[in-house]
Amino acid sequence: MLATAALQQLSRDLATSVDAMGLRSGEFGKPELVTKAAREAERIFQGFAKAKPSREDAYSAARSLLRGDELDAWQRDLVASAVAEPIREEQGAMALGASGFSALLSLYEAEARQGDLWRLTWHGLLFSYFNYDSSLAKDEKTRLGWEALRAFLERTWPLIDRLAGKDLVPDWVNILRKESNVLTVKPVENYSSAYLRGETEPTDRLGADLGIPPSSWFWHALVVGAVKRAAAASDAEFRRLIPQLLRLIQDKPGFRDEALEVILIRYHACQGAPPDERLRNYVCQPTVWKNPKLKFAGIATAWNRVPDPVWNMVLSWVNEGNLKAFFDILAARNNSDEGRLAFWSKYLKQISWTRLVFGSDTMALKRTNSEIRELIAGEEGAYAQLTSKPEVDAFMMQIGSYLVIEFSKKPNACYVYQADQLPFEPYDRHYDGGTTDLAAGYRPEIGCALRIVHRDGWDDRAETELRLLGIRPDQPNAQGAISSGTAATLATGTRGKRASTTFSQSTPRRDGPDMAVLRALIARFQGASIDDRRSTTNGGRLWINDPLQRRQLRSELVALGFKWAERRQAWYYPEQ
């Protein structure tokens, strides 16, 4: 009787199990049913194979280890997945730097050699290895603890691999069997090389199967390793790899700034360092480093990561792009280029600062014209707007110690002002565009340095008049003001007062300054004189005396490479 009842109960249990597996909906012997069940079993198995203990419990165990408390057997397994976790109550310290961490690793290793180490405990340590964020490490002891963890994983992986067997194994075991080099002292070397070849799939698969978080040291090492490997190549090869490097940075943006720093410094070292439009467009995005013109406004502080000559290089690319955009897009729209792009391109290497000023018509066109939309977006935070001339745009550019204002449409003339005697503030957000500000040079009492009217033959006249101001066309093989580090930056002044101009010192030329330019400059400042002693046998110098120590003359002399001698109270040109 009891046997019959037990048999009936067993039959009912079997029926319940069959219903739960959905086997009544199909027919026995169908392979797809077996495959589906096997896949589900595999999914469940892989989930268990990567299971981690409660985060709170693991965190508590790590905190206890860090405080020097003795861990029980259960806590020793729990803590494995949290040894790289910053502990809030201990000012962000990690258990990797705990005094008892080395002894804990020794205990784990002894268990692994005896075949007693729980596989999930080893996986927890693997998780901590990749979860380590070097930027959060508080001291050298923590870094050494992480290195000890790496060495432990490298030593014990063969033991874990052997114990895992040949049958059904977790994904992370399979991937480590193929990619165990991630546990070595050079964990990313192969992957950084693959990335430069455009082979990203192996690394992506590794990251997914091992659960490597975005903040991991692994991605940092991969990005920096790839960038440095490319930087070590020849100029031509490095420049060829830039698109691939930018894609890598976009995929792993957490380490973008450090990578861009290396890329820009290396690019500046390239022979000639020709403008790279792709690199310029990426780094100057408002969401990346922003327009380099905004550095001194305190808005684009990322540019402080690179030396001034590197910043100047990218600034020159932006200035060149602005010059071409103004005449190719804005002035050309009104058929009013009149050869101005070709004319001002002759001074391109000397242009140290630019600013676009858009009329309301241009601002409205950004909704329908992609070219203008991209131009305005690229100047976000740097451009200004005209309020009274909707159909007109303006372009500011600084050459030496002069600020040039060009307009996009006739009958507006071009005005050249001394940069420290501007009748407007150079960083205003809005301008009238007329004789109250940008075109104030039309008024005789303002006394602008030069007014250029674009009538027939204007370019020849303008070149002659600019020479009188000490502005000459670029020398074919000369280093420009931008690329040699003599970029000028305008500081915001007060309307109606003088705005200051500050120059960084330039690298002096071996053959000295252009004496014709220097004489023309000194002639403009009464009382100043040239004292050229370079022909003397005792190694004399070229001196400039200015008893009044005028700011404008100072600015122009610094731009030419002169230095101030405090003892003599005069300017001298340094010998090489």
Side-chain angles (χ1 to χ4, degrees):
M1 188 73 175
L2 291 174
T4 302
L7 186 59
Q8 290 174 343
Q9 180 61 45
L10 181 60
S11 178
R12 285 193 295 271
D13 290 344
L14 180 59
T16 300
S17 298
V18 170
D19 289 338
M21 289 187 289
L23 296 180
R24 296 190 189 278
S25 60
E27 299 177 20
F28 284 103
K30 287 196 171 182
E32 58 268 23
L33 296 178
V34 178
T35 302
K36 180 179 179 182
R39 287 202 191 101
E40 181 63 15
E42 169 76 6
R43 185 189 67 78
I44 295 172
F45 169 77
Q46 293 297 346
F48 280 120
K50 296 179 182 178
K52 291 188 289 291
S54 160
R55 184 170 183 178
E56 290 77 12
D57 291 343
Y59 182 92
S60 177
R63 183 177 57 204
S64 296
L65 177 63
L66 195 56
R67 290 175 174 176
D69 299 338
E70 186 174 350
L71 304 183
D72 59 31
W74 180 239
Q75 285 178 312
R76 286 198 297 272
D77 288 319
L78 289 174
V79 76
S81 63
V83 293
E85 187 80 16
I87 305 301
R88 296 183 301 275
E89 297 86 345
E90 300 297 327
Q91 293 75 50
M94 301 177 189
L96 287 170
S99 57
F101 182 66
S102 179
L104 180 64
L105 285 183
S106 297
L107 180 61
Y108 286 148
E109 187 161 359
E111 291 180 350
R113 295 191 181 282
Q114 295 167 9
D116 295 332
L117 182 64
W118 195 18
R119 191 164 66 186
L120 283 179
T121 301
W122 197 92
H123 180 261
L125 292 168
L126 180 69
F127 171 81
S128 291
Y129 170 64
F130 284 115
N131 197 52
Y132 174 70
D133 185 343
S134 57
S135 66
L136 300 179
K138 295 294 183 180
D139 50 34
E140 179 67 6
K141 192 174 182 181
T142 301
R143 190 196 66 78
L144 291 174
W146 173 80
E147 176 55 36
L149 173 60
R150 183 210 61 76
F152 163 84
L153 292 171
E154 184 180 21
R155 287 194 307 271
T156 57
W157 161 242
L159 304 174
I160 299 299
D161 181 23
R162 187 165 59 249
L163 288 172
K166 301 295 184 181
D167 298 324
L168 185 62
V169 296
D171 289 339
W172 61 266
V173 171
N174 273 329
I175 194 69
L176 278 181
R177 284 174 171 171
K178 300 173 185 175
E179 309 290 348
S180 60
N181 55 320
V182 296
L183 305 178
T184 67
V185 292
K186 294 183 177 179
V188 301
E189 192 163 303
N190 292 344
Y191 306 112
S192 60
S193 299
Y195 246 95
L196 292 180
R197 295 193 300 269
E199 300 169 9
T200 62
E201 194 274 333
T203 313
D204 294 338
R205 186 181 67 251
L206 180 76
D209 288 347
L210 294 183
I212 304 176
S215 60
S216 172
W217 63 268
F218 178 83
W219 302 120
H220 175 260
L222 173 68
V223 171
V224 174
V227 169
K228 289 184 176 180
R229 182 179 289 271
S234 65
D235 287 359
E237 178 64 6
F238 169 72
R239 289 174 55 199
R240 185 188 70 80
L241 290 171
I242 284 179
Q244 184 65 19
L245 293 178
L246 294 182
R247 282 193 292 273
L248 173 59
I249 295 171
Q250 288 173 312
D251 290 342
K252 312 296 177 189
F255 317 105
R256 179 194 68 201
D257 291 350
E258 184 177 353
L260 282 176
E261 181 180 341
V262 175
I263 291 171
L264 290 170
I265 291 174
R266 174 64 179 89
Y267 197 95
H268 181 263
C270 289
Q271 183 68 31
D276 187 295
E277 185 175 350
R278 188 194 298 259
L279 180 56
R280 179 199 68 193
N281 290 346
Y282 177 77
V283 73
C284 294
Q285 289 181 90
T287 54
V288 185
W289 280 20
K290 300 182 176 63
N291 195 310
K293 288 186 287 187
L294 300 173
K295 173 184 175 182
F296 288 111
I299 299 173
T301 55
W303 289 103
N304 293 321
R305 297 181 66 101
V306 296
D308 279 350
V310 179
W311 165 73
N312 285 332
M313 173 188 72
V314 183
L315 181 62
S316 72
W317 298 353
V318 172
N319 290 334
E320 180 179 356
N322 284 350
L323 177 68
K324 292 179 178 178
F326 181 77
F327 291 112
D328 278 350
I329 300 174
L330 302 179
R333 197 171 77 236
N334 298 306
N335 297 316
S336 57
D337 178 284
E338 297 139 342
R340 288 185 288 169
L341 174 58
F343 178 80
W344 291 113
S345 292
K346 295 189 297 184
Y347 303 88
L348 189 59
K349 293 179 181 178
Q350 301 170 66
I351 297 175
S352 58
W353 180 84
T354 59
R355 195 179 189 202
L356 290 166
V357 187
F358 300 117
S360 58
D361 285 0
T362 296
M363 294 300 293
L365 277 173
K366 71 179 182 180
R367 291 192 293 269
T368 57
N369 187 311
S370 61
E371 198 171 29
I372 288 179
R373 182 166 57 251
E374 290 173 6
L375 174 60
I376 294 174
E379 288 296 293
E380 183 65 39
Y383 69 82
Q385 296 184 54
L386 289 181
T387 57
S388 67
K389 298 181 178 181
E391 76 286 359
V392 177
D393 304 294
F395 182 63
M396 301 180 183
M397 54 183 159
Q398 185 163 0
I399 301 178
S401 56
Y402 292 93
L403 189 69
V404 180
I405 308 292
E406 275 278 17
F407 294 90
S408 63
K409 188 177 180 182
K410 285 183 177 182
N412 298 282
C414 169
Y415 295 93
V416 182
Y417 302 97
Q418 290 189 18
D420 65 347
Q421 297 181 21
L422 298 176
F424 54 84
E425 293 179 358
Y427 284 107
D428 264 353
R429 298 297 298 168
H430 295 88
Y431 297 100
D432 174 79
T435 57
T436 60
D437 44 46
L438 300 186
Y442 182 81
R443 294 153 46 198
E445 69 272 18
I446 295 299
C448 70
L450 179 61
R451 179 171 178 262
I452 300 173
V453 180
H454 304 102
R455 299 193 184 100
D456 289 343
W458 71 269
D459 48 349
D460 290 336
R461 293 192 301 272
E463 183 173 335
T464 299
E465 292 169 326
L466 288 171
R467 284 177 182 271
L468 295 177
L469 298 179
I471 301 174
R472 294 171 174 244
D474 298 331
Q475 295 296 319
N477 298 315
Q479 287 290 326
I482 295 299
S483 59
S484 64
T486 61
T489 58
L490 288 164
T492 304
T494 304
R495 187 178 302 281
K497 296 184 180 180
R498 294 160 70 97
S500 65
T501 307
T502 306
F503 295 84
S504 61
Q505 290 189 346
S506 64
T507 303
R509 301 193 307 272
R510 292 185 179 276
D511 57 348
D514 187 317
M515 292 306 294
V517 171
L518 185 61
R519 283 191 288 270
L521 171 63
I522 298 304
R524 291 173 24 225
F525 296 88
Q526 187 174 4
S529 61
I530 299 175
D531 183 9
D532 191 353
R533 301 188 178 188
R534 291 176 295 179
S535 60
T536 61
T537 57
N538 60 353
R541 284 173 164 169
L542 173 62
W543 292 88
I544 303 296
N545 298 305
D546 179 24
L548 300 179
Q549 296 186 18
R550 282 159 285 200
R551 180 190 299 175
Q552 177 63 27
L553 180 55
R554 171 190 177 281
S555 297
E556 303 218 21
L557 289 173
V558 170
L560 290 173
F562 281 83
K563 293 186 176 180
W564 177 254
E566 188 68 31
R567 183 175 179 181
R568 182 167 169 173
Q569 292 288 292
W571 294 93
Y572 70 93
Y573 195 87
E575 66 276 3
Q576 288 289 324

